[in-house]
Coordinates of all heavy atoms in Angstrom, one line a residue:
M13 N 0.8 -1.2 0.0 CA 0.0 0.0 0.0 C 0.9 1.2 0.0 O 1.9 1.3 0.7 CB -0.9 0.0 1.2 CG -2.2 -0.8 1.1 SD -3.2 -0.1 -0.2 CE -3.7 1.5 0.4
I14 N 0.4 2.2 -0.8 CA 1.2 3.5 -0.8 C 0.2 4.6 -0.4 O 0.2 5.7 -1.0 CB 1.8 3.7 -2.1 CG1 0.9 3.6 -3.3 CG2 3.0 2.8 -2.3 CD1 1.4 4.0 -4.6
A15 N -0.7 4.3 0.5 CA -1.7 5.4 0.9 C -0.9 6.6 1.4 O 0.1 6.4 2.1 CB -2.6 4.8 1.9
G16 N -1.4 7.7 1.2 CA -0.8 8.9 1.7 C 0.4 9.4 0.9 O 1.0 10.4 1.3
L17 N 0.7 8.8 -0.2 CA 1.8 9.2 -1.1 C 1.5 10.6 -1.5 O 0.4 10.9 -2.0 CB 1.8 8.2 -2.2 CG 3.2 8.2 -3.0 CD1 4.3 7.7 -2.1 CD2 3.0 7.3 -4.2
Q18 N 2.5 11.4 -1.4 CA 2.4 12.8 -1.9 C 2.8 12.9 -3.3 O 3.9 12.4 -3.7 CB 3.2 13.7 -1.0 CG 2.7 13.8 0.4 CD 1.3 14.4 0.5 OE1 1.0 15.4 0.0 NE2 0.5 13.6 1.2
T19 N 2.1 13.5 -4.2 CA 2.5 13.8 -5.5 C 2.5 15.2 -5.8 O 2.0 16.0 -5.0 CB 1.5 13.1 -6.5 OG1 0.2 13.6 -6.3 CG2 1.5 11.6 -6.3
G20 N 3.1 15.6 -6.9 CA 3.1 17.0 -7.2 C 4.5 17.7 -7.1 O 4.7 18.7 -7.8
D21 N 5.4 17.1 -6.3 CA 6.7 17.8 -6.2 C 7.5 17.5 -7.5 O 8.3 18.3 -7.9 CB 7.4 17.3 -5.0 CG 7.5 15.8 -4.9 OD1 6.7 15.1 -5.5 OD2 8.5 15.3 -4.2
S22 N 7.3 16.3 -8.1 CA 8.0 16.0 -9.4 C 7.2 15.0 -10.1 O 7.0 13.9 -9.7 CB 9.4 15.5 -9.1 OG 9.9 15.0 -10.3
A23 N 6.6 15.5 -11.2 CA 5.7 14.6 -12.0 C 6.3 13.4 -12.5 O 5.7 12.3 -12.7 CB 5.0 15.4 -13.1
S24 N 7.6 13.4 -12.8 CA 8.3 12.3 -13.4 C 9.0 11.4 -12.4 O 9.6 10.4 -12.8 CB 9.3 12.8 -14.4 OG 10.3 13.5 -13.7
R25 N 8.8 11.7 -11.2 CA 9.5 10.9 -10.2 C 8.9 9.5 -10.1 O 7.7 9.3 -10.1 CB 9.4 11.6 -8.8 CG 10.2 11.0 -7.7 CD 10.4 12.1 -6.7 NE 10.4 11.5 -5.4 CZ 10.1 12.1 -4.2 NH1 9.7 13.3 -4.3 NH2 10.2 11.5 -3.1
R26 N 9.8 8.5 -9.9 CA 9.3 7.1 -9.8 C 9.5 6.7 -8.3 O 10.5 7.1 -7.7 CB 10.2 6.1 -10.6 CG 10.0 6.4 -12.1 CD 8.7 5.8 -12.6 NE 8.6 4.4 -12.3 CZ 7.6 3.7 -12.8 NH1 6.7 4.2 -13.5 NH2 7.5 2.4 -12.5
F27 N 8.5 6.0 -7.8 CA 8.6 5.7 -6.4 C 9.0 4.2 -6.2 O 8.3 3.3 -6.0 CB 7.2 5.9 -5.7 CG 6.8 7.3 -5.7 CD1 6.0 7.8 -6.7 CD2 7.3 8.2 -4.7 CE1 5.7 9.2 -6.7 CE2 6.9 9.5 -4.7 CZ 6.1 10.0 -5.7
G28 N 10.3 4.1 -6.3 CA 10.9 2.8 -6.0 C 10.7 1.7 -7.0 O 11.0 0.5 -6.8
G29 N 10.2 2.1 -8.2 CA 10.0 1.1 -9.3 C 9.1 0.0 -8.9 O 9.3 -1.1 -9.3
M30 N 8.1 0.3 -8.1 CA 7.2 -0.8 -7.6 C 6.4 -1.4 -8.7 O 6.0 -0.7 -9.7 CB 6.2 -0.1 -6.6 CG 5.4 -1.2 -5.9 SD 4.8 -0.5 -4.4 CE 3.7 -1.9 -3.9
E31 N 6.3 -2.7 -8.7 CA 5.5 -3.4 -9.7 C 4.2 -3.9 -9.1 O 4.1 -4.3 -8.0 CB 6.3 -4.6 -10.2 CG 7.6 -4.2 -10.9 CD 8.1 -5.4 -11.8 OE1 7.5 -6.4 -11.8 OE2 9.1 -5.1 -12.4
Y32 N 3.2 -3.9 -10.0 CA 1.9 -4.3 -9.6 C 1.5 -5.5 -10.4 O 1.7 -5.5 -11.7 CB 0.9 -3.2 -9.8 CG 1.2 -1.9 -9.0 CD1 2.0 -0.9 -9.5 CD2 0.8 -1.8 -7.7 CE1 2.3 0.2 -8.8 CE2 1.1 -0.8 -6.9 CZ 1.9 0.3 -7.5 OH 2.2 1.4 -6.7
V33 N 1.0 -6.5 -9.8 CA 0.6 -7.8 -10.4 C -0.9 -8.0 -10.3 O -1.4 -7.9 -9.2 CB 1.4 -8.9 -9.8 CG1 1.0 -10.3 -10.5 CG2 2.9 -8.8 -10.0
C34 N -1.5 -8.3 -11.4 CA -3.0 -8.5 -11.4 C -3.3 -9.7 -10.5 O -2.8 -10.8 -10.6 CB -3.4 -8.7 -12.8 SG -5.1 -9.1 -13.0
E35 N -4.3 -9.5 -9.7 CA -4.8 -10.5 -8.8 C -5.4 -11.7 -9.6 O -5.4 -12.8 -9.1 CB -5.9 -9.9 -7.9 CG -6.5 -10.9 -6.9 CD -5.6 -11.4 -5.8 OE1 -4.5 -10.8 -5.6 OE2 -6.0 -12.4 -5.1
V36 N -5.9 -11.4 -10.7 CA -6.6 -12.5 -11.5 C -5.7 -13.3 -12.4 O -5.6 -14.5 -12.3 CB -7.7 -11.8 -12.4 CG1 -8.4 -12.9 -13.2 CG2 -8.7 -11.1 -11.5
C37 N -4.9 -12.6 -13.2 CA -4.1 -13.3 -14.2 C -2.6 -13.3 -13.9 O -1.8 -14.0 -14.6 CB -4.3 -12.7 -15.6 SG -3.6 -11.0 -15.8
K38 N -2.3 -12.7 -12.8 CA -0.9 -12.7 -12.3 C 0.1 -12.1 -13.2 O 1.3 -12.3 -13.1 CB -0.4 -14.1 -11.9 CG -1.4 -14.9 -11.0 CD -1.6 -14.2 -9.7 CE -2.6 -15.0 -8.8 NZ -3.0 -14.2 -7.6
Q39 N -0.4 -11.3 -14.2 CA 0.5 -10.6 -15.1 C 0.7 -9.1 -14.6 O -0.1 -8.6 -13.9 CB -0.1 -10.5 -16.5 CG -0.4 -11.8 -17.1 CD 0.9 -12.6 -17.4 OE1 1.8 -12.1 -18.0 NE2 0.9 -13.8 -16.9
R40 N 1.8 -8.6 -15.0 CA 2.1 -7.2 -14.5 C 1.1 -6.2 -15.1 O 0.6 -6.3 -16.2 CB 3.5 -6.9 -15.0 CG 4.0 -5.6 -14.5 CD 5.4 -5.3 -14.8 NE 5.7 -3.9 -14.4 CZ 6.8 -3.3 -14.7 NH1 7.8 -3.9 -15.3 NH2 7.0 -2.0 -14.3
I41 N 0.9 -5.2 -14.2 CA 0.0 -4.1 -14.6 C 0.9 -2.9 -14.8 O 1.6 -2.5 -13.9 CB -1.1 -3.8 -13.6 CG1 -2.0 -5.1 -13.4 CG2 -1.9 -2.6 -14.0 CD1 -3.0 -4.9 -12.3
E42 N 0.7 -2.3 -16.0 CA 1.4 -1.0 -16.3 C 0.5 0.1 -16.0 O -0.7 0.1 -16.3 CB 1.8 -0.9 -17.8 CG 2.8 -2.0 -18.2 CD 4.2 -1.8 -17.6 OE1 4.5 -0.6 -17.1 OE2 5.0 -2.7 -17.6
P43 N 1.0 1.1 -15.3 CA 0.1 2.3 -15.0 C -0.3 2.9 -16.3 O 0.4 2.9 -17.3 CB 1.1 3.3 -14.3 CG 2.1 2.4 -13.7 CD 2.3 1.2 -14.6
N44 N -1.5 3.5 -16.3 CA -2.1 4.1 -17.5 C -1.4 5.5 -17.8 O -0.5 5.9 -17.0 CB -3.6 4.2 -17.5 CG -4.1 5.2 -16.4 OD1 -3.3 6.0 -15.9 ND2 -5.3 5.1 -16.0
A45 N -1.9 6.2 -18.8 CA -1.2 7.4 -19.2 C -1.2 8.5 -18.1 O -0.4 9.4 -18.1 CB -1.9 8.0 -20.4
R46 N -2.2 8.3 -17.1 CA -2.2 9.3 -16.0 C -1.5 8.7 -14.8 O -1.6 9.3 -13.7 CB -3.7 9.5 -15.7 CG -4.4 10.4 -16.8 CD -5.9 10.6 -16.5 NE -6.6 9.3 -16.5 CZ -7.3 8.8 -15.4 NH1 -7.3 9.5 -14.3 NH2 -7.9 7.7 -15.5
G47 N -0.7 7.6 -15.0 CA 0.1 7.1 -13.9 C -0.8 6.4 -12.8 O -0.4 6.3 -11.7
K48 N -1.9 5.9 -13.2 CA -2.8 5.2 -12.3 C -3.0 3.8 -12.6 O -2.9 3.4 -13.8 CB -4.2 5.9 -12.4 CG -4.2 7.4 -12.2 CD -4.4 7.8 -10.8 CE -4.6 9.3 -10.6 NZ -4.9 9.7 -9.3
I49 N -3.3 3.0 -11.6 CA -3.7 1.6 -11.8 C -5.0 1.4 -11.1 O -5.4 2.1 -10.2 CB -2.6 0.6 -11.3 CG1 -2.5 0.7 -9.8 CG2 -1.3 0.7 -12.0 CD1 -1.8 -0.5 -9.1
R50 N -5.7 0.4 -11.6 CA -7.0 0.1 -11.1 C -6.9 -0.8 -9.9 O -6.2 -1.8 -10.0 CB -7.9 -0.5 -12.1 CG -9.3 -0.8 -11.7 CD -10.0 -1.7 -12.8 NE -11.4 -1.7 -12.5 CZ -12.3 -0.9 -13.0 NH1 -11.9 0.0 -13.9 NH2 -13.6 -1.0 -12.7
V51 N -7.5 -0.5 -8.8 CA -7.5 -1.5 -7.7 C -9.0 -1.8 -7.3 O -9.9 -1.0 -7.5 CB -6.8 -0.9 -6.4 CG1 -5.3 -0.8 -6.7 CG2 -7.4 0.4 -5.9
E52 N -9.2 -3.1 -6.9 CA -10.5 -3.5 -6.6 C -10.6 -4.1 -5.2 O -9.6 -4.7 -4.8 CB -10.9 -4.7 -7.6 CG -11.0 -4.3 -9.0 CD -12.5 -4.0 -9.5 OE1 -13.4 -4.2 -8.7 OE2 -12.6 -3.5 -10.6
G53 N -11.7 -4.0 -4.6 CA -11.8 -4.5 -3.2 C -13.3 -4.6 -2.8 O -14.2 -4.3 -3.6
V54 N -13.5 -5.0 -1.6 CA -14.8 -5.1 -1.1 C -14.9 -4.2 0.1 O -14.0 -4.1 1.0 CB -15.1 -6.6 -0.6 CG1 -16.5 -6.7 0.0 CG2 -15.0 -7.5 -1.8
T55 N -16.0 -3.5 0.2 CA -16.3 -2.6 1.3 C -17.7 -3.0 1.9 O -18.5 -3.6 1.2 CB -16.3 -1.1 1.0 OG1 -17.4 -0.9 0.1 CG2 -15.0 -0.8 0.3
H56 N -18.0 -2.6 3.1 CA -19.3 -2.7 3.6 C -20.1 -1.6 3.1 O -19.6 -0.5 3.0 CB -19.3 -2.7 5.2 CG -20.5 -3.2 5.8 ND1 -21.6 -2.5 6.0 CD2 -20.7 -4.5 6.3 CE1 -22.5 -3.3 6.6 NE2 -22.0 -4.5 6.8
S57 N -21.4 -1.9 2.8 CA -22.2 -0.8 2.2 C -22.4 0.4 3.0 O -22.6 1.5 2.5 CB -23.6 -1.4 1.8 OG -24.2 -1.9 2.9
S58 N -22.3 0.2 4.3 CA -22.5 1.4 5.2 C -21.2 2.2 5.4 O -21.2 3.3 6.0 CB -23.0 0.9 6.6 OG -22.0 0.1 7.2
T59 N -20.0 1.6 5.1 CA -18.8 2.3 5.2 C -18.0 2.1 3.9 O -17.0 1.4 3.8 CB -17.9 1.7 6.3 OG1 -17.8 0.2 6.2 CG2 -18.5 2.0 7.7
P60 N -18.5 2.8 2.8 CA -17.9 2.6 1.5 C -16.5 3.0 1.3 O -15.9 2.7 0.3 CB -18.9 3.4 0.6 CG -19.5 4.4 1.5 CD -19.6 3.7 2.8
K61 N -15.9 3.7 2.3 CA -14.5 4.1 2.1 C -13.5 3.2 2.9 O -12.3 3.3 2.8 CB -14.3 5.5 2.6 CG -15.1 6.5 1.8 CD -14.5 7.9 1.9 CE -15.3 8.9 1.1 NZ -15.2 8.7 -0.3
A62 N -14.0 2.2 3.6 CA -13.2 1.3 4.3 C -13.1 -0.1 3.7 O -14.1 -0.8 3.6 CB -13.7 1.2 5.8
W63 N -11.9 -0.5 3.2 CA -11.8 -1.8 2.6 C -11.9 -2.9 3.6 O -11.3 -2.9 4.6 CB -10.4 -1.9 1.9 CG -10.1 -0.9 0.9 CD1 -9.3 0.2 1.0 CD2 -10.6 -0.8 -0.5 NE1 -9.3 0.9 -0.2 CE2 -10.0 0.3 -1.1 CE3 -11.5 -1.6 -1.2 CZ2 -10.3 0.7 -2.4 CZ3 -11.7 -1.3 -2.5 CH2 -11.1 -0.1 -3.1
I64 N -12.7 -3.9 3.3 CA -12.8 -5.1 4.1 C -11.9 -6.1 3.5 O -11.2 -6.9 4.2 CB -14.3 -5.6 4.1 CG1 -15.2 -4.6 4.9 CG2 -14.3 -7.0 4.8 CD1 -16.6 -5.0 4.7
W65 N -11.8 -6.2 2.2 CA -10.9 -7.1 1.5 C -10.3 -6.3 0.4 O -10.9 -5.5 -0.3 CB -11.7 -8.3 0.9 CG -10.8 -9.2 0.2 CD1 -10.1 -10.3 0.7 CD2 -10.6 -9.2 -1.2 NE1 -9.4 -10.9 -0.3 CE2 -9.7 -10.3 -1.5 CE3 -11.0 -8.4 -2.3 CZ2 -9.2 -10.6 -2.8 CZ3 -10.5 -8.7 -3.6 CH2 -9.6 -9.8 -3.8
G66 N -9.0 -6.4 0.2 CA -8.3 -5.7 -0.8 C -7.9 -4.3 -0.3 O -7.9 -4.1 0.9
P67 N -7.6 -3.3 -1.1 CA -7.7 -3.4 -2.6 C -6.6 -4.2 -3.2 O -5.5 -4.2 -2.6 CB -7.7 -2.0 -3.0 CG -6.9 -1.3 -2.0 CD -7.2 -2.0 -0.7
V68 N -6.9 -4.8 -4.3 CA -5.8 -5.5 -5.0 C -5.8 -5.0 -6.5 O -6.8 -4.6 -7.0 CB -6.1 -7.1 -5.1 CG1 -6.1 -7.7 -3.7 CG2 -7.5 -7.3 -5.8
P69 N -4.6 -4.9 -7.0 CA -4.5 -4.4 -8.4 C -5.2 -5.4 -9.4 O -5.2 -6.6 -9.1 CB -2.9 -4.4 -8.7 CG -2.3 -4.5 -7.3 CD -3.3 -5.3 -6.4
C70 N -5.7 -4.9 -10.4 CA -6.5 -5.7 -11.3 C -6.6 -5.0 -12.7 O -6.9 -3.8 -12.7 CB -7.9 -5.9 -10.7 SG -9.0 -6.9 -11.7
H71 N -6.4 -5.7 -13.8 CA -6.6 -5.2 -15.1 C -8.1 -4.9 -15.3 O -9.0 -5.6 -14.8 CB -6.2 -6.2 -16.2 CG -4.8 -6.4 -16.3 ND1 -4.2 -7.7 -16.0 CD2 -3.7 -5.6 -16.6 CE1 -2.9 -7.6 -16.2 NE2 -2.6 -6.4 -16.5
D72 N -8.4 -3.8 -16.1 CA -9.8 -3.5 -16.4 C -10.5 -4.7 -16.9 O -11.6 -5.0 -16.6 CB -9.8 -2.4 -17.5 CG -9.5 -1.1 -16.9 OD1 -9.3 -1.0 -15.7 OD2 -9.6 -0.1 -17.7
E73 N -9.8 -5.5 -17.8 CA -10.5 -6.6 -18.5 C -10.6 -7.8 -17.6 O -11.2 -8.8 -18.0 CB -9.8 -6.9 -19.8 CG -8.4 -7.4 -19.7 CD -7.4 -6.2 -19.7 OE1 -7.7 -5.1 -19.4 OE2 -6.2 -6.4 -20.1
C74 N -9.9 -7.8 -16.5 CA -9.9 -9.0 -15.6 C -10.9 -8.9 -14.4 O -11.1 -9.8 -13.7 CB -8.5 -9.2 -15.0 SG -7.3 -9.8 -16.2
R75 N -11.4 -7.7 -14.3 CA -12.2 -7.4 -13.0 C -13.4 -8.3 -12.9 O -13.9 -8.6 -11.8 CB -12.5 -6.0 -12.9 CG -13.4 -5.4 -14.0 CD -13.6 -3.9 -13.8 NE -14.4 -3.7 -12.7 CZ -15.8 -3.6 -12.7 NH1 -16.4 -3.6 -13.9 NH2 -16.4 -3.4 -11.6
L76 N -14.0 -8.7 -14.1 CA -15.2 -9.5 -14.0 C -14.9 -10.9 -13.6 O -15.8 -11.7 -13.2 CB -15.9 -9.5 -15.4 CG -16.4 -8.2 -15.9 CD1 -17.0 -8.3 -17.2 CD2 -17.4 -7.6 -14.9
R77 N -13.6 -11.3 -13.6 CA -13.2 -12.7 -13.2 C -12.6 -12.6 -11.8 O -12.1 -13.6 -11.3 CB -12.2 -13.3 -14.2 CG -12.9 -13.6 -15.5 CD -11.9 -14.3 -16.4 NE -10.9 -13.5 -16.9 CZ -9.6 -13.8 -16.9 NH1 -9.2 -14.9 -16.4 NH2 -8.7 -13.0 -17.4
L78 N -12.6 -11.5 -11.2 CA -12.0 -11.4 -9.8 C -12.9 -12.1 -8.8 O -14.1 -12.0 -8.8 CB -12.0 -9.9 -9.4 CG -11.3 -9.6 -8.1 CD1 -9.8 -9.9 -8.1 CD2 -11.5 -8.1 -7.7
R79 N -12.2 -12.9 -8.0 CA -12.9 -13.7 -6.9 C -12.5 -13.1 -5.6 O -11.3 -12.9 -5.3 CB -12.5 -15.2 -7.0 CG -13.1 -15.8 -8.3 CD -14.6 -16.1 -8.1 NE -15.2 -16.5 -9.3 CZ -15.9 -15.7 -10.1 NH1 -16.0 -14.4 -9.7 NH2 -16.5 -16.1 -11.2
T80 N -13.4 -13.0 -4.7 CA -13.1 -12.5 -3.3 C -13.8 -13.5 -2.3 O -14.7 -14.2 -2.7 CB -13.7 -11.1 -3.1 OG1 -15.1 -11.2 -2.8 CG2 -13.5 -10.2 -4.3
P81 N -13.3 -13.4 -1.1 CA -13.9 -14.3 -0.1 C -15.4 -13.8 0.2 O -16.1 -14.5 0.9 CB -13.0 -14.1 1.2 CG -11.8 -13.5 0.6 CD -12.1 -12.7 -0.6
Y82 N -15.8 -12.7 -0.3 CA -17.1 -12.1 0.0 C -18.1 -12.3 -1.1 O -19.2 -11.7 -1.1 CB -17.0 -10.7 0.4 CG -16.2 -10.5 1.7 CD1 -14.9 -10.3 1.7 CD2 -16.9 -10.5 2.9 CE1 -14.2 -10.1 2.9 CE2 -16.2 -10.4 4.1 CZ -14.8 -10.2 4.1 OH -14.1 -10.1 5.2
D83 N -17.7 -13.1 -2.2 CA -18.5 -13.2 -3.3 C -20.0 -13.6 -3.0 O -20.9 -13.1 -3.6 CB -18.0 -14.2 -4.3 CG -16.8 -13.6 -5.2 OD1 -16.6 -12.4 -5.0 OD2 -16.3 -14.3 -6.0
D84 N -20.2 -14.5 -2.0 CA -21.5 -14.9 -1.7 C -22.4 -13.8 -1.1 O -23.6 -13.8 -1.2 CB -21.4 -16.0 -0.6 CG -20.9 -17.3 -1.2 OD1 -20.9 -17.4 -2.5 OD2 -20.6 -18.2 -0.5
Q85 N -21.7 -12.8 -0.4 CA -22.4 -11.7 0.2 C -22.6 -10.5 -0.7 O -23.4 -9.7 -0.4 CB -21.7 -11.3 1.5 CG -21.9 -12.3 2.6 CD -20.7 -13.1 2.9 OE1 -20.1 -13.7 2.0 NE2 -20.3 -13.1 4.2
V86 N -21.7 -10.4 -1.7 CA -21.8 -9.2 -2.6 C -23.1 -9.4 -3.4 O -23.4 -10.4 -3.9 CB -20.5 -9.2 -3.5 CG1 -20.8 -8.2 -4.7 CG2 -19.3 -8.7 -2.8
G87 N -23.8 -8.4 -3.4 CA -25.1 -8.4 -4.1 C -26.3 -8.6 -3.2 O -27.4 -8.4 -3.6
T88 N -26.0 -8.9 -1.9 CA -27.1 -9.0 -1.0 C -27.4 -7.7 -0.4 O -28.4 -7.5 0.4 CB -26.7 -10.0 0.2 OG1 -25.6 -9.4 0.9 CG2 -26.4 -11.4 -0.3
G89 N -26.6 -6.7 -0.7 CA -26.8 -5.3 -0.2 C -25.9 -5.0 1.0 O -25.8 -3.9 1.4
E90 N -25.2 -6.0 1.6 CA -24.4 -5.8 2.7 C -23.0 -5.4 2.3 O -22.4 -4.5 2.9 CB -24.4 -7.0 3.6 CG -23.8 -6.8 5.0 CD -24.1 -7.9 6.0 OE1 -24.8 -8.9 5.6 OE2 -23.7 -7.8 7.1
Y91 N -22.4 -6.1 1.4 CA -21.1 -5.8 0.9 C -21.1 -5.4 -0.5 O -22.0 -5.8 -1.3 CB -20.2 -7.1 1.0 CG -20.0 -7.5 2.4 CD1 -20.7 -8.6 2.9 CD2 -19.1 -6.9 3.3 CE1 -20.6 -9.0 4.2 CE2 -18.9 -7.4 4.6 CZ -19.7 -8.4 5.1 OH -19.5 -8.8 6.3
V92 N -20.2 -4.5 -0.9 CA -20.2 -4.0 -2.3 C -18.8 -4.1 -2.8 O -17.8 -3.9 -2.1 CB -20.7 -2.6 -2.4 CG1 -22.2 -2.5 -2.2 CG2 -20.0 -1.7 -1.4
L93 N -18.7 -4.5 -4.1 CA -17.4 -4.4 -4.8 C -17.1 -2.9 -5.1 O -18.0 -2.2 -5.6 CB -17.5 -5.2 -6.1 CG -17.1 -6.7 -6.0 CD1 -17.4 -7.3 -7.4 CD2 -15.7 -6.9 -5.6
T94 N -15.9 -2.5 -4.9 CA -15.6 -1.1 -5.1 C -14.3 -1.1 -5.8 O -13.4 -2.0 -5.7 CB -15.4 -0.4 -3.7 OG1 -16.6 -0.6 -3.0 CG2 -15.2 1.1 -3.9
W95 N -14.1 -0.1 -6.7 CA -12.8 0.1 -7.3 C -12.3 1.5 -7.3 O -13.2 2.4 -7.1 CB -12.8 -0.4 -8.8 CG -13.7 0.4 -9.7 CD1 -15.0 0.3 -9.9 CD2 -13.2 1.5 -10.5 NE1 -15.4 1.3 -10.8 CE2 -14.4 2.0 -11.2 CE3 -12.0 2.1 -10.7 CZ2 -14.3 3.1 -12.0 CZ3 -11.9 3.2 -11.6 CH2 -13.0 3.7 -12.2
Q96 N -11.0 1.7 -7.4 CA -10.5 3.1 -7.4 C -9.3 3.1 -8.4 O -8.7 2.1 -8.7 CB -9.8 3.4 -6.1 CG -10.8 3.7 -5.0 CD -10.1 4.0 -3.7 OE1 -8.8 4.1 -3.6 NE2 -10.8 4.3 -2.6
D97 N -9.1 4.3 -8.9 CA -7.8 4.6 -9.6 C -6.8 5.0 -8.6 O -7.0 5.9 -7.8 CB -8.0 5.7 -10.6 CG -8.4 5.2 -12.0 OD1 -8.4 4.0 -12.2 OD2 -8.9 6.0 -12.8
M98 N -5.8 4.2 -8.4 CA -4.7 4.5 -7.5 C -3.5 5.0 -8.2 O -3.1 4.5 -9.2 CB -4.4 3.2 -6.6 CG -3.5 3.5 -5.5 SD -3.1 2.0 -4.6 CE -1.9 1.2 -5.7
T99 N -2.9 6.0 -7.6 CA -1.6 6.5 -8.1 C -0.6 5.4 -8.0 O -0.3 5.0 -6.9 CB -1.2 7.8 -7.4 OG1 -2.2 8.7 -7.5 CG2 0.1 8.3 -8.0
A100 N 0.0 5.1 -9.1 CA 1.0 4.0 -9.1 C 2.4 4.6 -8.9 O 2.6 5.7 -9.1 CB 1.0 3.2 -10.4
Ligands
ZN20 ZN1 -5.2 -9.3 -15.3

């Protein structure tokens, strides 16, 4: 996790050359043109900003095949799948 990372001091700066691997296909994820990668996770519907599971990096095209321990409960209204663009 790189929560709290400050950006803006240098747009071209690399943060340790960190690599992101897709949770589904285990292939590397390259940040998009805006330097973001997609992360997916599960939150409780009453606390949509708090991850219960994840977030994990995931390709856009792989997200429909993502499996979580909460799959049985997602869709019942209690847990929700959530995604974010995270600065890579
Ligand atoms: Zn993938």
Side-chain angles (χ1 to χ4, degrees):
M13 277 298 293
I14 52 171
L17 199 66
Q18 295 298 308
T19 58
D21 53 335
S22 171
S24 64
R25 192 158 143 204
R26 296 284 302 186
F27 294 95
M30 187 157 173
E31 294 200 0
Y32 299 93
V33 175
C34 177
E35 176 72 12
V36 177
C37 69
K38 309 301 181 191
Q39 300 296 308
R40 185 174 172 186
I41 299 177
E42 296 291 342
N44 68 17
R46 291 176 296 122
K48 306 271 191 176
I49 61 163
R50 183 191 192 93
V51 294
E52 295 263 352
V54 177
T55 66
H56 199 276
S57 58
S58 64
T59 52
K61 296 203 182 292
W63 301 104
I64 294 170
W65 180 87
V68 296
C70 182
H71 291 118
D72 283 0
E73 62 270 27
C74 290
R75 60 183 293 266
L76 295 178
R77 292 188 286 129
L78 184 68
R79 290 283 167 262
T80 82
Y82 294 91
D83 280 358
D84 288 345
Q85 286 107 308
V86 167
T88 63
E90 193 165 0
Y91 297 99
V92 289
L93 272 174
T94 308
W95 69 273
Q96 284 182 3
D97 272 345
M98 186 180 79
T99 301

